Amino acid sequence: MRYLIALLAVAGIVAATLALRIHYSMDAPPCDINAHWDCGIVNHSRYSAIHGIPVAAIGIAGYAVIAILALFRRYRLLLATSLAGLAFTLYLTSIEARILEIWCLYCVISQAIMALIFLLSIAALIWSRKSTA
């Protein structure tokens, strides 16, 4: 289970890195699909950084912490961290849906990965408690 969570965290790092690349790029983003799907608009909006730190960079750091916690079987901390990550992605999803009304493909992929990590973290914590009982 820990390797699967760590692998998903690496996938999250890849998605966040692609979003970060768009954040700093002035070129046309590869995910400019239509009026409702445009990573460039999302990653250049005023919501793409918190106190000057790109949201994608925060995601990269968060996924790295999740991978480390999973590999070291720190399931309680992993669950807390993945819950915080899920809450953060739901907040960002709300901004995309209600304020920007535009979706970023990389962000949606990251949101799905974080939801999966959260669910697997619950399962890993339950499994670890059963195996020690």
Side-chain angles (χ1 to χ4, degrees):
M1 183 77 69
R2 66 184 172 141
Y3 295 118
L4 178 58
I5 293 170
L7 182 64
L8 284 169
V10 170
I13 289 171
V14 170
T17 300
L18 291 170
L20 185 62
R21 192 172 130 240
I22 290 172
H23 178 82
Y24 286 115
S25 173
M26 297 313 279
D27 298 334
C31 54
D32 180 2
I33 300 168
N34 59 33
H36 297 288
W37 291 89
D38 188 336
C39 294
I41 291 174
V42 173
N43 284 291
H44 292 123
S45 75
R46 67 185 184 115
Y47 303 100
S48 68
I50 298 174
H51 300 295
I53 301 169
V55 168
I58 295 169
I60 291 167
Y63 282 121
V65 168
I66 285 170
I68 291 166
L69 291 172
L71 291 173
F72 285 101
R73 296 181 181 146
R74 302 298 306 239
Y75 295 126
R76 284 185 186 172
L77 285 173
L78 175 63
L79 181 59
T81 305
S82 65
L83 177 60
L86 182 62
F88 189 58
T89 60
L90 290 174
Y91 164 73
L92 295 173
T93 299
S94 171
I95 290 172
E96 285 180 325
R98 296 180 182 177
I99 297 172
L100 298 175
E101 296 180 351
I102 295 175
W103 296 91
C104 167
L105 182 61
Y106 300 137
C107 301
V108 171
I109 290 168
S110 180
Q111 292 156 1
I113 290 169
M114 187 54 70
L116 247 147
I117 288 173
F118 175 69
L119 293 173
L120 290 172
S121 297
I122 293 170
L125 182 62
I126 292 170
W127 183 269
S128 71
R129 286 186 175 204
K130 284 185 177 183
S131 65
T132 59

